[in-house]
Amino acid sequence: MPTVNVKICPEIINWALSQTQEDKLGEKLMSNITKWLNGTKTPTFNQIEDFSKKSNIPLGYFFLQTPPVEKIDLLEYRTIDSIQLVNPSRNLIDTIHEMEKIQDWMKAYRQDLGFEKLSVVGCMSDVKDVSRIANKIRADLSISKNWYETTKDSREAFGYIRKQLEICGVVVMMSGIVGKNTHRALDVNEFRAFTMIDDWTPLIFINTSDSNGAKLFSLLHEIVHIWLGESDLFNDRQGNANHVSDIEIICNAVAGEVIVPKDDFLEKWNEQKTEIYTKIAELAKYFRCGEIVIARKAIDCKKIDQKIYDQVVQKAIKNYNQTKENKDTSGGNYYNTMESRLDGCFVRAICESINMGRTTYTEAYRLTNTSPKTFPEIAQRLGGVEWQRSF
């Protein structure tokens, strides 16, 4: 097959470079890119295709005359202003787009079948009282004030709250990679979670690259955003209580109150006679949460100062990084992983839609990042039994 040279605008090449980490491209491709830009060489179609794959930029973008304007509305709702999110990674952009497709599908499904709007969305939009919002969330999720006592650790606590959200109709998706590409890991330093508000299908996405305790807090933080009716891109890795908007202060406070009720915290804090750091660690185990949540509650209750809080945060981040470095990368059980990533309500809706002839098998596999071989098992695990029987 003859070599096909293509004309690519230098402006597009420079834009693509700004969207990509150079070490992902390799020395050979970077050498070629330098020659394309100085005009000593013209790229071939295969080389641009290689550039597209390594940069995760759609191939069609390279043939535009000017860089595309990708409007990501969710970026306007980032928790902390940061340079990093002024130029979001392709991994974050593609994850947001993937969740938008799922939300759009689920919204159309619910509207077509006559579902009513979810009453929880924005139900506390005009409320600023932390206790009142926390009590409303507990009531809507049918959880008690000491709900944490029914779970054994933060992982199980996360699963319990997620299940209650599913009953409410809130879609919760989670992953540590883009789609099914294990080479595209999501960076927890870029974002921890996000929420896309919609009256029929509010959707929470959790970055599973985070620690179990952090994921629990992120989930509760995003729940508050739904009850307040505002989207969110949660990118706070420091447990920052300063330099955030009023709504973020409320969301952090309510999330902390639902996880660690103030009255229960003070009682347990006063019971513990150990030194401060041990006390924080013990209370984190008791409330099934991360130590940062306990430290935040302690500083809010004037039990510790900012220095101790900062030390707890830094220690937690250090422990997370060490755990990440030592983590077994051989992979776990595929079906367990996929079951955790997908929302049960969403999968059951897909199964019902297939039964009604509204959704094709191909679309179901695309929406769930599965295949004809794997989808039946996952569907059965998540309650799509009727579809499984008809397959």
Side-chain angles (χ1 to χ4, degrees):
M1 182 179 293
T3 300
V4 179
N5 291 97
V6 291
K7 185 177 180 180
I8 306 296
C9 294
E11 189 179 1
I12 294 294
I13 295 175
N14 281 318
W15 171 80
L17 278 175
S18 73
Q19 300 284 303
T20 313
Q21 294 178 339
E22 291 188 8
D23 60 342
K24 301 288 185 182
L25 301 178
E27 291 184 10
K28 183 178 180 180
L29 180 54
M30 279 304 304
S31 175
N32 283 329
I33 290 172
T34 300
K35 294 173 183 176
W36 301 340
L37 289 172
N38 65 28
T40 59
K41 192 173 182 180
T42 302
T44 67
F45 180 84
N46 287 342
Q47 288 172 333
I48 293 300
E49 191 173 40
D50 182 45
F51 193 179
S52 171
K53 290 178 180 178
K54 289 179 177 177
S55 64
N56 298 306
I57 294 173
L59 181 61
Y61 284 9
F62 287 89
F63 298 93
L64 298 173
Q65 296 302 305
T66 57
V69 178
E70 295 182 290
K71 183 171 174 54
I72 311 295
D73 292 336
L74 198 60
L75 295 180
E76 298 175 9
Y77 297 97
R78 58 187 182 272
T79 301
I80 304 293
D81 288 331
S82 65
I83 295 174
Q84 189 173 22
L85 278 177
V86 170
N87 295 303
S89 70
R90 295 305 314 178
N91 288 350
L92 174 55
I93 290 172
D94 290 348
T95 298
I96 291 173
H97 286 330
E98 183 181 4
M99 292 304 111
E100 286 174 339
K101 291 174 183 176
I102 288 172
Q103 186 178 51
D104 289 344
W105 184 93
M106 194 68 168
K107 178 179 181 178
Y109 170 82
R110 286 178 170 174
Q111 286 182 323
D112 291 348
L113 267 63
F115 279 60
E116 295 182 355
K117 296 179 180 180
L118 297 191
S119 61
V120 298
V121 179
C123 63
M124 294 276 103
S125 60
D126 296 323
V127 180
K128 293 183 173 25
D129 182 82
V130 171
S131 295
R132 186 177 164 193
I133 299 172
N135 288 334
K136 174 64 173 170
I137 289 173
R138 291 190 190 106
D140 288 337
L141 294 182
S142 299
I143 62 175
S144 64
K145 187 177 179 182
N146 60 340
W147 63 272
Y148 49 84
E149 294 181 352
T150 65
T151 65
K152 65 180 181 180
D153 53 30
S154 57
R155 181 186 181 90
E156 195 170 288
F158 179 96
Y160 174 71
I161 295 296
R162 185 184 186 185
K163 186 66 178 177
Q164 298 309 109
L165 279 173
E166 185 180 309
I167 294 172
C168 275
V170 176
V171 174
V172 181
M173 304 288 288
M174 52 193 288
S175 184
I177 61 174
V178 180
K180 53 185 175 183
N181 190 336
T182 56
H183 298 291
R184 298 185 65 186
L186 299 177
D187 185 0
V188 74
N189 291 305
E190 183 175 32
F191 79 104
R192 296 171 64 178
F194 60 75
T195 292
M196 301 188 301
I197 294 297
D198 179 79
D199 288 335
W200 278 271
T201 308
L203 184 147
I204 295 173
F205 180 88
I206 301 292
N207 185 347
T208 58
S209 298
D210 224 339
S211 65
N212 287 326
K215 283 185 288 190
L216 175 62
F217 184 83
S218 294
L219 183 62
L220 265 297
H221 180 96
E222 301 308 320
I223 288 172
V224 185
H225 271 281
I226 291 176
W227 265 245
L228 294 179
E230 182 171 307
S231 297
D232 177 53
L233 180 56
F234 191 34
N235 64 315
D236 179 10
R237 281 281 287 138
Q238 305 293 326
N240 200 330
N242 303 312
H243 311 299
V244 296
S245 65
D246 290 343
I247 193 171
E248 290 305 320
I249 292 173
I250 292 173
C251 288
N252 285 336
V254 175
E257 180 61 21
V258 174
I259 297 172
V260 184
K262 182 178 179 180
D263 293 344
D264 294 356
F265 165 80
L266 290 173
E267 180 182 343
K268 293 299 177 182
W269 182 274
N270 293 330
E271 284 179 2
Q272 292 279 344
K273 303 304 180 185
T274 54
E275 59 89 27
I276 292 293
Y277 297 102
T278 301
K279 183 181 292 193
I280 289 173
E282 288 299 318
L283 290 187
K285 291 178 183 178
Y286 177 80
F287 287 102
R288 284 64 160 173
C289 65
E291 292 184 14
I292 294 178
V293 177
I294 297 298
R296 183 74 257 164
K297 182 68 71 171
I299 197 172
D300 289 343
C301 293
K302 297 181 171 44
K303 295 296 183 180
I304 61 173
D305 58 25
Q306 187 67 43
K307 182 179 178 180
I308 293 176
Y309 174 79
D310 291 341
Q311 288 174 341
V312 172
V313 171
Q314 293 307 315
K315 178 185 175 184
I317 293 175
K318 181 180 178 180
N319 289 341
Y320 164 80
N321 290 332
Q322 289 177 340
T323 301
K324 186 178 180 181
E325 289 176 3
N326 298 327
K327 188 175 181 180
D328 180 9
T329 57
S330 60
N333 180 281
Y334 169 82
Y335 290 105
N336 288 343
T337 299
M338 290 304 297
E339 183 181 354
S340 70
R341 288 179 184 171
L342 296 166
D343 179 83
C345 204
F346 169 60
V347 171
R348 289 192 294 276
I350 288 180
C351 294
E352 291 167 3
S353 188
I354 290 173
N355 275 338
M356 291 185 289
R358 296 168 48 87
T359 296
T360 64
Y361 297 130
T362 301
E363 186 177 14
Y365 308 147
R366 178 182 60 81
L367 286 167
T368 57
N369 286 312
T370 57
S371 68
K373 179 181 178 182
T374 58
F375 184 74
E377 170 70 18
I378 292 165
Q380 187 175 39
R381 283 171 172 242
L382 290 170
V385 179
E386 291 303 316
W387 181 83
Q388 166 70 6
R389 289 173 179 168
S390 65
F391 182 70

